[in-house]
Amino acid sequence: MTSDLNAKLISFDTGKLAYKGVKMYKSLKIILISYFFLISNFELGAQNEEYLIGFSQCTTSDIWREQMNREILNELTLYPNMEMIMRDANDNSQKQINDIKELVNKGIDLLIVSPNESKPLTPIVEEVYNKGIPVIVIDREIESDAYTAFIGADNYQIGREAGYYAANLLNGKGTIVEIWGLPGSSPAQERHAGFVDALQSYTNIEIIFSQTGRWNWQGGYDMMVRAKDTYDDFDLVFAHNDFMAKGAYNAANDYGIQNDLKFMGIDGLPGSEGGVQYVIDGKLDATLLYPTGGGRAIEIAWQILNGRQVSKENILQTVLIDSTNARVIKMQGDQIQSLQNKISAHKEILDKQVERFRSQRLLLILSLISVGLLIGLVVLMIRAYRHKQKTNRKLEEQNQEIEKRNQEIVKQHNKLKEMTGQLEEATQMKLRFFTNISHEFRTPLTLLLGPLEKVLHSPDFNEKQKHQFRMMHRNAMRLLRLINQLMDFRKLESAKMKLHAGYHNIVAFLSGVKESFDELAENKGIDFKLKAEHDHLMLWFDEDKLDKIMFNLLSNAFKYTPDGGMIHIRLRKVRHLFGADEKNAVEICVEDNGRGMSKEHVKQIFENFYQIEKRQSNFFPGTGIGLSLTKGLVELHHGDIHVESEKGQGTSFTLHFPIGNDHLNEDEIVTESIEEGGTKREIRSAPTETDVMPGLEENFNTGRLPFEENEIPTILLVEDNQDVRDYIRSSLTGDFHVIEAANGKEGIRKVEEEMPDLIVADVMMPEMDGMEMTRNLKNNLNTCHIPVILLTARASLEHKLDGLEVGADSYIPKPFNSRHLQVRVNKLIESRKRMREHYRANLDFDKESGDNFNQLDRKFINKAIKVINENMSREDFGVEEFSKEMSMSRVHLYRKIKQLTGMSVSEFIRSIKLKKAAGLLKNSGMSISEISYEVGFSTPSYFAKCFKEQFKVSPTEYLAGGR
């Protein structure tokens, strides 16, 4: 504050006023400014409250105490309104308690304490804290949370780091002598715990000696002597500070064994007797930096006293110091010490100048005020009247001109706002138009790509014709990619695109991307390589979106790289700055030696619709959204992208993605892989046929039944576009019986009439769309078992998830390959067939094995089993009564059980009874005749016949352990 005032007063040049005749009016302005600055400084000085801080430390080492005090005193120079009283307990807990009481009696505003021992010091610290005095605990913890802030290193982590480094020095094998600090000290306890935990995984390393050295050199020396007297041989000495480690080294030197041992300490203090110098001199193999935190304590004290929020736990960072970095750290410490000494010298000079200034300030201020007021009065009286009228006229004219301009600005603003709204509306209309057109393009593209893929694999055409077909197919695929890019761009623009990041091996992913371009690289003679520093590197990313990113970058690289050129993909793990946070990251670099870009283009390359090459004759440069879309997809991953290019030298795009998932929101993480075909289903063992139970078989018309082994499955095709229906029907005819419907309502009616084995339906249809139709079918007990495949022009993952949520078994985006559809249909029908065969063979209907049933089917099966169990002993319980109990017609009951289990109703009833009988044979102790009547068979002989048909052994053999 005083230096600011000094600078302001120096700026007021009294010599110019006296000898150069500066105009009195300007002089008055300078005087008045100085006057008001003076008043402000007096007011600010009055507001700066003085604070008294008490500091109680317990350090036994002179070097540590000097380092701590130096940091505190240097930091205090930045806070002139803070005064400190220091007390040193000299390793005596009772003295430290008395020191703290003395400091409280002196009226301190804040206490900083470094406890000698945790347990004895806890009550006095709690007492001070409960009196409302803020407490900062530094270096060592207490056994309570009654403090305002803690500052110190993580002693447990330091112990772990020491343990890992010790294991490394011993190559995983050896014996260790550990020398503690005070047993009641929290750093000693935590360092020991971390050290022991780190060594638990090294079974060939043993701590054979662990005693206290009381933090000092003599204690380290004595413990080393005792360890040597107790054990003839050991490999490493770990002391809880450098001074004990130095004492142990000197003892070993006296024995002449110092070169046979490894020595480690903690503190890493600078200076000739500090741990860093010990490492440089070769007396210690390593030490871990343990910062004092003195400067940080003063900073936090100031924040607390000025009512600011501070963190309760302030953990200081550590670093391992060994022969590889000790000299660098020592040099840095020496430079810091030199700067601190200079700061102290400058502070002394500044204090002297401030005192001199204070003694002269009052006289100078009074003189300036007097002269200023006198001159001001004269000047103002002379000029006030002269300028009053002139000024008023000018102000009036300016006010009129300003008012006029304001009105014009308001009009222009309103007009600009109106034009902006119209432009935004027009832009949104165009984007909606292109998005809708893009969706509509997918259906005709299906009818283009599907037949083209068929004729490309047909032997009926010669190579010249197939070349033309391949050109047509290639351009149709290009149109599809452009449509997809436009839809993705629209989603990014409207912030509707969502990230679905899974945990994948990025190396394997990029290898797959590279393989897609290998043939093109070979044809162009391009040196195309993937260079990864790791064989396996896991990363959270959205496979679909990263595929689009890499496709755009590699497409541009191949487009602008001449034949015989070079394109490399580089992958490595780095530290990267994301905003203000430095994090571990994966770096992907796509570089080429192509034509490159000028600096002007590099600056604008990621802008929407920006194109490097202007449209020329016979040349179509593209849409200008590829790299803009790429940048948006990278940023959707919370990453960044950077481009470097030089015209004629090539281009390099560098992407960075954060490692881990802390940067991702919960809805951006996909923990289970959603496959394009829907969820995975388990296929169980092969089935066997069972005969129908005599006397219980149905003799009624059931309509079309679920297909048998030689029966052609029936597929219902629901699609409003006749051309698409014709194309799909032609793809499935021969292997399947295909029936058709033009919309969802008609589709539901056809399902009720025909009971197809599978449904293929479009999503967007008139009257009732595919989503609503699927929802109705899956919520109907009579139809919920029928598999549904949805076809749609909406290909995003969000729409796929919507389809799966309403119950669809598979989801295929348009345009699709006819072979793809055939495989999906066959797989779903085969899965249902194998499921029925499994249940028919194994009679396995319990909940744990029923994962292939949906919720309604599981409820139906459970109810059916319950009804049969309730009527288990009745011989006359048949299909008619069973259907009444199930509240279903005989036809619907037969269809439902046949679809789910592959059995007729009578076979299902009999299988449940036989399964119950098998259990009774093993566990009840009843005779075979008793069991046959218990499960509702009319005679034991008929029961034995049915049992043997089901289980391939007679009841007697089964009971004897034949099955």
Side-chain angles (χ1 to χ4, degrees):
M1 182 186 305
T2 55
S3 60
D4 291 343
L5 181 58
N6 191 23
K8 295 164 189 171
L9 291 175
I10 292 172
S11 67
F12 178 66
D13 193 341
T14 55
K16 290 184 179 180
L17 176 63
Y19 299 107
K20 295 186 179 181
V22 178
K23 293 181 179 180
M24 289 184 294
Y25 181 71
K26 292 183 178 180
S27 300
L28 175 64
K29 288 169 64 179
I30 296 173
I31 294 168
L32 293 176
I33 289 172
S34 300
Y35 173 74
F36 286 119
F37 271 125
L38 175 67
I39 298 302
S40 298
N41 280 319
F42 273 127
E43 292 175 353
L44 288 173
Q47 293 174 359
N48 282 337
E49 186 177 349
E50 296 290 336
Y51 299 110
L52 181 61
I53 299 174
F55 176 38
S56 173
Q57 60 180 332
C58 66
T59 308
T60 57
S61 163
D62 292 336
I63 298 177
W64 179 272
R65 178 167 52 251
E66 290 172 4
Q67 180 69 16
M68 170 80 78
N69 293 345
R70 186 184 301 114
E71 289 185 14
I72 289 176
L73 294 175
N74 286 337
E75 189 71 18
L76 278 172
T77 60
L78 304 177
Y79 305 98
N81 62 325
M82 291 171 61
E83 182 181 350
M84 174 172 281
I85 303 174
M86 293 186 178
R87 293 290 184 267
D88 194 335
N90 293 321
D91 201 22
N92 187 314
S93 298
Q94 185 57 49
K95 183 177 185 306
Q96 188 168 26
I97 294 172
N98 295 334
D99 289 344
I100 293 173
K101 292 179 178 179
E102 178 193 351
L103 292 172
V104 171
N105 292 334
K106 288 182 178 294
I108 58 172
D109 301 297
L110 181 143
L111 173 65
I112 300 175
V113 58
S114 175
N116 183 50
E117 293 178 289
S118 300
K119 187 173 182 179
L121 268 296
T122 298
I124 185 64
V125 174
E126 288 181 334
E127 180 182 338
V128 175
Y129 180 82
N130 292 332
K131 286 182 178 180
I133 299 175
V135 177
I136 298 176
V137 179
I138 185 170
D139 180 27
R140 305 173 184 183
E141 298 177 341
I142 62 171
E143 296 182 352
S144 168
D145 62 351
Y147 53 84
T148 310
F150 170 77
I151 303 168
D154 186 344
N155 284 290
Y156 176 82
Q157 186 61 32
I158 289 174
R160 284 179 62 88
E161 294 293 334
Y164 290 135
Y165 191 81
N168 184 56
L169 283 176
L170 296 176
N171 293 320
K173 182 177 181 181
T175 53
I176 297 175
V177 168
E178 181 186 15
I179 303 177
W180 284 48
L182 285 174
S185 171
S186 63
Q189 295 168 351
E190 292 169 3
R191 291 172 189 178
H192 171 72
F195 188 71
V196 171
D197 288 350
L199 294 178
Q200 283 183 350
S201 59
Y202 297 91
T203 57
N204 292 324
I205 296 179
E206 180 183 4
I207 301 174
I208 62 172
F209 183 89
S210 181
Q211 295 292 334
T212 177
R214 300 189 62 82
W215 295 119
N216 55 50
W217 182 95
Q218 188 62 48
Y221 185 98
D222 294 340
M223 291 304 105
M224 182 63 186
V225 171
R226 185 180 300 176
K228 179 59 180 170
D229 292 341
T230 306
Y231 299 94
D232 292 331
D233 185 34
F234 46 88
D235 304 299
L236 183 143
V237 178
F238 167 57
H240 284 199
N241 68 13
D242 293 337
F243 308 107
M244 293 188 295
K246 177 67 178 304
Y249 175 88
N250 288 348
N253 185 56
D254 291 344
Y255 279 103
I257 60 171
Q258 73 279 8
N259 295 327
D260 299 328
L261 301 176
K262 307 288 186 183
F263 292 86
M264 291 179 59
I266 298 175
D267 281 346
L269 292 176
S272 59
E273 290 299 317
V276 177
Q277 187 62 46
Y278 293 168
V279 174
I280 294 173
D281 294 339
K283 297 177 181 179
L284 297 184
D285 292 272
T287 181
L288 285 92
L289 177 65
Y290 188 75
T292 65
R296 180 65 175 151
I298 298 303
E299 179 184 348
I300 291 179
W302 184 86
Q303 294 175 350
I304 293 172
L305 293 172
N306 284 273
R308 300 188 181 181
Q309 293 291 329
V310 299
S311 298
K312 190 176 183 70
E313 304 295 331
N314 300 271
I315 305 303
L316 304 176
Q317 300 301 312
T318 185
V319 66
L320 181 73
I321 303 170
D322 59 14
S323 58
T324 62
N325 61 357
R327 295 186 183 278
V328 174
I329 291 176
K330 181 178 185 302
M331 181 177 65
Q332 292 175 344
D334 292 342
Q335 290 176 348
I336 292 172
Q337 185 59 47
S338 175
L339 290 174
Q340 289 176 342
N341 292 338
K342 291 180 180 179
I343 290 172
S344 297
H346 284 295
K347 181 180 180 298
E348 292 178 3
I349 296 173
L350 181 62
D351 290 341
K352 292 179 181 179
Q353 293 292 335
V354 169
E355 288 298 324
R356 185 182 301 170
F357 169 75
R358 287 174 176 171
S359 64
Q360 298 175 355
R361 178 174 59 181
L362 183 58
L363 180 60
L364 178 61
I365 290 172
L366 292 175
S367 300
L368 291 175
I369 292 174
S370 301
V371 173
L373 289 175
L374 179 61
I375 295 173
L377 288 174
V378 174
V379 171
L380 290 176
M381 290 178 64
I382 294 174
R383 294 180 176 240
Y385 182 77
R386 184 183 298 175
H387 292 287
K388 181 179 178 180
Q389 292 181 335
K390 183 178 179 180
T391 302
N392 288 340
R393 286 194 301 269
K394 287 184 178 181
L395 287 173
E396 184 64 29
E397 293 173 359
Q398 290 175 356
N399 285 338
Q400 292 176 359
E401 182 66 23
I402 290 171
E403 183 63 28
K404 183 178 179 181
R405 290 182 180 179
N406 285 341
Q407 292 176 357
E408 293 177 355
I409 291 172
V410 170
K411 290 180 181 179
Q412 292 176 356
H413 175 73
N414 292 336
K415 187 175 181 180
L416 182 61
K417 188 175 181 180
E418 182 181 354
M419 292 174 62
T420 302
Q422 293 173 349
L423 181 61
E424 178 65 22
E425 183 179 357
T427 301
Q428 292 298 322
M429 289 178 64
K430 285 191 287 185
L431 285 172
R432 284 194 297 271
F433 169 75
F434 283 118
T435 302
N436 293 334
I437 285 294
S438 299
H439 281 299
E440 293 300 322
F441 278 161
R442 288 182 175 271
T443 296
L445 276 174
T446 300
L447 300 174
L448 284 173
L449 290 169
L452 280 172
E453 288 168 355
K454 278 189 174 182
V455 300
L456 282 173
H457 294 87
S458 172
D460 299 333
F461 299 94
N462 59 41
E463 188 59 32
K464 183 177 180 180
Q465 292 171 322
K466 286 188 176 182
H467 176 73
Q468 293 177 330
F469 291 146
R470 280 193 290 269
M471 179 180 66
M472 295 165 64
H473 184 269
R474 186 168 57 252
N475 281 277
M477 289 300 297
R478 183 185 177 194
L479 178 59
L480 177 60
R481 284 195 298 271
L482 291 174
I483 290 170
N484 289 336
Q485 276 197 353
L486 184 59
M487 294 173 70
D488 288 338
F489 177 74
R490 166 63 174 158
K491 285 182 181 179
L492 276 175
E493 286 288 293
S494 58
K496 291 183 179 179
M497 181 171 283
K498 302 296 183 184
L499 187 70
H500 299 280
Y503 197 47
H504 311 290
N505 181 3
I506 184 64
V507 181
F509 176 82
L510 292 180
S511 297
V513 172
K514 177 185 176 296
E515 289 177 4
S516 303
F517 288 85
D518 281 343
E519 183 178 354
L520 176 60
E522 184 178 353
N523 293 337
K524 298 186 69 176
I526 289 177
D527 176 21
F528 182 42
K529 295 179 181 177
L530 169 62
K531 298 182 177 181
E533 291 185 357
H534 305 272
D535 295 331
H536 187 87
L537 182 58
M538 299 302 292
L539 180 70
W540 287 91
F541 63 91
D542 188 319
E543 289 185 301
D544 175 62
K545 293 175 179 59
L546 187 56
D547 182 75
K548 292 174 181 176
I549 292 169
M550 296 305 299
F551 182 87
N552 279 338
L553 295 180
L554 289 173
S555 296
N556 278 344
F558 277 97
K559 180 178 180 181
Y560 295 114
T561 300
D563 293 354
M566 176 276 292
I567 300 175
H568 287 172
I569 306 172
R570 300 184 185 274
L571 173 70
R572 61 176 184 157
K573 185 178 177 181
V574 298
R575 292 287 292 176
H576 183 69
L577 200 63
F578 294 96
D581 298 327
E582 186 179 32
K583 300 179 179 179
N584 289 328
V586 166
E587 179 182 276
I588 303 172
C589 181
V590 178
E591 57 183 4
D592 62 66
N593 64 347
R595 53 202 288 186
M597 298 176 284
S598 66
K599 292 183 179 179
E600 175 187 354
H601 292 314
V602 169
K603 292 179 181 178
Q604 299 174 282
I605 192 65
F606 294 116
E607 293 181 5
N608 294 343
F609 312 112
Y610 183 77
Q611 297 167 272
I612 294 177
E613 299 174 354
K614 302 302 181 183
R615 186 177 298 276
Q616 301 172 359
S617 60
N618 301 322
F619 179 71
F620 297 91
T623 61
I625 65 174
L627 288 176
S628 174
L629 175 62
T630 297
K631 184 174 185 290
L633 294 175
V634 172
E635 292 175 347
L636 198 63
H637 282 81
H638 306 276
D640 57 42
I641 183 170
H642 175 69
V643 59
E644 293 181 357
S645 184
E646 186 175 345
K647 198 165 184 63
Q649 299 297 318
T651 303
S652 172
F653 286 90
T654 304
L655 298 78
H656 291 97
F657 298 100
I659 292 177
N661 61 2
D662 294 343
H663 58 285
L664 299 175
N665 298 323
E666 186 176 347
D667 60 350
E668 294 177 330
I669 296 177
V670 178
T671 55
E672 295 182 2
S673 177
I674 301 297
E675 296 189 352
E676 193 174 357
T679 58
K680 297 180 180 179
R681 287 181 168 82
E682 182 180 0
I683 306 300
R684 299 192 180 272
S685 58
T688 59
E689 295 293 333
T690 57
D691 295 331
V692 178
M693 189 177 192
L696 292 179
E697 182 57 88
E698 302 87 337
N699 293 305
F700 51 84
N701 181 15
T702 62
R704 202 199 70 78
L705 303 180
F707 68 92
E708 302 296 339
E709 183 175 354
N710 297 321
E711 184 180 349
I712 298 177
T714 296
I715 294 179
L716 172 61
L717 174 59
V718 188
E719 166 65 65
D720 62 320
N721 187 299
Q722 183 64 48
D723 290 336
V724 177
R725 289 208 307 274
D726 292 343
Y727 169 61
I728 297 176
R729 185 180 63 249
S730 68
S731 300
L732 300 176
T733 301
D735 297 324
F736 307 97
H737 172 57
V738 180
I739 56 178
E740 300 180 18
N743 57 63
K745 278 190 176 180
E746 185 180 348
I748 290 178
R749 181 172 57 80
K750 287 288 182 74
V751 169
E752 294 172 348
E753 294 174 357
E754 300 288 340
M755 277 294 167
D757 298 292
L758 185 140
I759 301 170
V760 178
D762 190 17
V763 171
M764 301 175 66
M765 295 184 293
E767 293 196 46
M768 180 185 288
D769 62 28
M771 292 285 193
E772 184 64 26
M773 183 194 74
T774 303
R775 185 181 292 107
N776 289 339
L777 292 174
K778 292 298 182 178
N779 289 328
N780 187 327
L781 180 62
N782 295 325
T783 59
C784 63
H785 59 274
I786 303 174
V788 178
I789 298 177
L790 290 179
L791 308 175
T792 181
R794 297 178 175 179
S796 68
L797 180 59
E798 290 82 359
H799 291 115
K800 292 180 185 179
L801 293 174
D802 290 342
L804 296 176
E805 284 177 357
V806 299
D809 296 82
S810 188
Y811 194 97
I812 302 179
K814 295 180 181 179
F816 57 87
N817 183 286
S818 61
R819 179 59 184 156
H820 184 190
L821 177 61
Q822 291 170 357
V823 170
R824 289 290 179 84
V825 170
N826 283 325
K827 288 293 184 183
L828 282 173
I829 289 180
E830 179 65 19
S831 173
R832 291 299 171 124
K833 181 179 178 182
R834 292 177 68 181
M835 180 184 73
R836 290 193 292 269
E837 290 172 348
H838 167 77
Y839 293 127
R840 186 184 184 94
N842 295 281
L843 309 181
D844 191 9
F845 301 109
D846 58 79
K847 185 171 183 180
E848 288 74 13
S849 64
D851 293 338
N852 290 308
F853 292 145
N854 62 38
Q855 187 175 1
L856 282 179
D857 288 340
R858 165 50 52 197
K859 185 177 180 180
F860 170 80
I861 287 293
N862 288 342
K863 182 178 179 182
I865 294 173
K866 180 181 179 183
V867 169
I868 295 172
N869 285 331
E870 290 173 350
N871 296 274
M872 181 66 68
S873 61
R874 291 178 53 191
E875 297 178 23
D876 59 343
F877 182 72
V879 176
E880 189 69 37
E881 190 169 354
F882 188 27
S883 63
K884 290 180 181 179
E885 292 284 345
M886 295 298 294
S887 303
M888 297 178 70
S889 70
R890 293 173 55 177
V891 173
H892 284 144
L893 179 64
Y894 183 87
R895 288 175 175 175
K896 188 70 178 179
I897 290 181
K898 192 71 173 178
Q899 282 281 5
L900 293 178
T901 68
M903 305 179 192
S904 66
V905 177
S906 58
E907 287 176 319
F908 181 72
I909 295 173
R910 186 180 67 177
S911 69
I912 299 299
K913 290 188 173 188
L914 289 173
K915 185 177 181 181
K916 176 69 173 179
L920 292 174
L921 282 171
K922 284 292 185 183
N923 303 312
S924 68
M926 299 168 63
S927 68
I928 295 175
S929 296
E930 290 173 334
I931 291 174
S932 67
Y933 295 123
E934 179 69 21
V935 296
F937 282 80
S938 57
T939 64
S941 60
Y942 178 61
F943 166 73
K945 176 179 178 295
C946 294
F947 191 92
K948 188 168 185 178
E949 288 174 352
Q950 177 65 46
F951 296 108
K952 308 307 179 188
V953 293
S954 68
T956 304
E957 292 170 332
Y958 187 92
L959 186 60
R963 181 179 176 87

